[in-house]
Amino acid sequence: MKQDVTDAPLHILTTVFGHPAFRGAQQEIVSHITSGGDALVLMPTGGGKSLCYQLPALLREGTALVVSPLIALMQDQVAALKQLGVRAAFLNSTLDGQQANAVERSLRNGELDLLYVAPERLMMPRMLELLHESRIALFAIDEAHCVSQWGHDFRPEYLQLSVLHEQFPEVPRIALTATADPQTRDEIITRLALTEARIFVSSFDRPNIRYTIVDKNEARAQLLRFIKEDHAGDAGIVYCLSRKKVDETAAWLATYGIRALPYHAGMDTAARAKHQARFQQEDGIVVVATIAFGMGIDKPDVRFVAHLDLPKSIEGYYQETGRAGRDGTPADAWMAYGLGDVVQQQRMIDMSDGGEVFKRVLRTKLDALLGLCESAGCRRVRLLDYFGEPSTPCGNCDNCVEPPETWDATEAARKALSCIYRTGQRFGAVHLIDVLRGKTTERITQWGHDKLTVFGIGADIDEATWRNVFRQLVALSYASPDHEAYGALQLTDASRAVLKGEVNVEMRRVAPARKEKSVKVRRGASSSTLSPPNAALLDKLKDWRFVEAQSQSVPAFVIFHDSTLAGIASANPKTLNELAEISGIGAKKLERYGAAILALLHD
Ligand code: ADP
Ligand code: ZN
């Protein structure tokens, strides 16, 4: 049933969606759309965008049409809405003719609150005709950054969506995206004809995500330790650059008992779909992937995103790490980073086909990311600053939790640069470090490098610190790898000032391995912080959810989110009324599952 229009949005929020209060700008957006305005909503992943059109859909006469680029995402959203008792359906290529006809009929008869469609479908003349014969409450354009030709999610069909404005000028439109940069924002406004729309910009902060960037020494072992110590049994994503590395890393993790599955564009479609489905539906799967694994993933309980390779830009890093912790409970963004990463990314830019302007843009983006990696200050401040949002140190990143020591590396930098120069700018960091530390390897004697004045002048500094010095020199552009000579390090224009002692070089000190680990203190409402009986309850609840999800063939989180189960396990409610107080339990779910949960808790 369509809700009575006099029903306050808050009433629907609590009874249908089971949330006690609006978040951020939700209330304002809902009332703006409900009263017929257009809006552009910029909110980070997990911010609660869907509610901004789902709630007006229940308040306005007619059916809300939701344009969404991904079929898997549509199906999950519709399944979740049906659980809430909302009349939702989707139209896409997975339906046969008969099923599609039935959906179209219900649309025409005004029996749907929300209808999800793929953009290419919406633009078919037949579909537009159908819309004209039906009553449309609003248009919601999800993932609106897909109109941007500069972005990596570009979908040409999105460009045609301005037709909606031309053909249905009186129907309000709401465009939503989690992409923050001003260029994309402007493109959405022009291409979707949203110049009259009100713009709602939320903070892009994801306070529940803890950012950690560690010095890479043995990346895989570091990753394994991170997963075992901090995320045993949790769902997570591990990003690697190449398909080969994806396959190897997944196989390697599996030998250590981690339920890891590979995902990349080189796999056949069926295998890929299967791994994605298992990730969505089962608890505690780790997907090791290239960035081909991404936009369709709206799993709320991803507890960590790990990077074994450096992304290309801060935008990329933020989008990928943003897939962690959509449910608002603590999550980790973890990255291992080393000199090899810097060299590799710079090489990819230099060797790419793009013109000079294009390469310069890429270099600037990479430099901003390297700045983040090398920073001794708050990671979050730096990230938000990149998106134009001022903030203060967060207390929830590696650098805040354990501020790194910095040291005056001017002397070391000079020695390193001299060593590059004296050896003829033809060697990589490994060999240069051997020279500095005065090792007599075969290669050194062969080249006569033990006769040089720089031989052994850096014996007082350990190897790990030297690796760090070289990485930071490259990241700061005081040295640059020659990509045509296997990454041999060369001097740059900026090197001269260091060599002449005109600038000081401050560097972060390398964190000893055990420190890297002690940064991890447990926090938040994850199962391990609940007292023991509650943890047992939580396990029971998860088992129940698993069976329920299987029997209905929906992902577990469609039944209840982890955060809701955690809420139940800590409150241990005795009555239906007490149960209804917990966030995530609306009237329909209470009616459907309330008795079963109470029985489970108190048998
Ligand atoms: P987005 O699309 O912006 O990434 P979603 O719409 O999927 O985010 O919402 C993210 C999570 O936040 C979901 O689990 C949703 O149930 C929850 N949520 C949304 N609004 C509220 C609210 N007002 N109170 C509590 N939880 C909310
Ligand atoms: Zn911080």
Side-chain angles (χ1 to χ4, degrees), residues 13 19-23 26 43-51 300 326-327 561 583:
L13 182 73
H19 300 315
F22 283 107
R23 236 194 231 164
Q26 278 177 338
M43 222 184 243
T45 309
K49 283 186 285 299
S50 348
L51 203 87
R326 292 171 67 118
D327 56 9
H561 280 184
S583 184

Side-chain angles (χ1 to χ4, degrees), residues 193-204:
L194 282 169
T195 34
E196 305 287 306
R198 219 175 123 185
I199 302 178
F200 294 88
V201 186
S202 303
S203 166
F204 269 75

Side-chain angles (χ1 to χ4, degrees), residues 3 7 10-19 84 585-588:
Q3 303 282 331
D7 258 358
L10 185 62
H11 182 66
I12 297 181
L13 182 73
T14 50
T15 56
V16 178
F17 293 92
H19 300 315
L84 302 175
I585 305 187
K588 197 75 189 183

Side-chain angles (χ1 to χ4, degrees), residues 154-175:
F154 177 55
R155 301 276 294 235
E157 317 86 55
Y158 261 66
L159 294 175
Q160 295 162 32
L161 290 176
S162 59
V163 168
L164 298 178
H165 178 53
E166 290 152 23
Q167 298 203 10
F168 305 88
E170 73 296 347
V171 178
R173 292 173 304 147
I174 171 172

Side-chain angles (χ1 to χ4, degrees), residues 230-294:
D230 293 319
H231 290 287
D234 285 345
I237 305 174
V238 176
Y239 282 111
C240 303
L241 212 51
S242 70
R243 297 170 183 183
K244 182 160 168 273
K245 190 159 168 186
V246 163
D247 287 331
E248 287 170 1
T249 308
W252 187 80
L253 286 174
T255 62
Y256 285 90
I258 295 185
R259 297 168 65 211
L261 302 173
Y263 187 104
H264 57 69
M267 292 164 53
D268 72 72
T269 324
R272 230 165 36 182
K274 187 164 141 237
H275 289 180
Q276 174 160 343
R278 286 192 58 192
F279 180 66
Q280 294 270 93
Q281 296 182 3
E282 292 174 31
D283 274 336
I285 299 272
V286 174
V287 163
V288 184
T290 57
I291 53 171
F293 187 70

Side-chain angles (χ1 to χ4, degrees), residues 356-370:
E356 252 330 292
V357 181
F358 178 69
K359 288 183 182 176
R360 196 155 58 233
V361 172
L362 296 185
R363 273 189 212 110
T364 313
K365 284 180 185 281
L366 178 60
D367 283 346
L369 181 64
L370 295 179

Side-chain angles (χ1 to χ4, degrees), residues 378-380 393-397 400:
C378 175
R379 310 273 191 201
R380 194 178 313 271
C394 71
N396 191 27
C397 71
C400 280

Side-chain angles (χ1 to χ4, degrees), residues 474-496:
V474 174
L476 297 166
S477 301
Y478 289 127
S480 79
D482 178 351
H483 301 307
E484 267 147 31
Y486 307 101
L489 292 178
Q490 299 181 319
L491 300 185
T492 67
D493 293 343
S495 315
R496 166 183 282 268

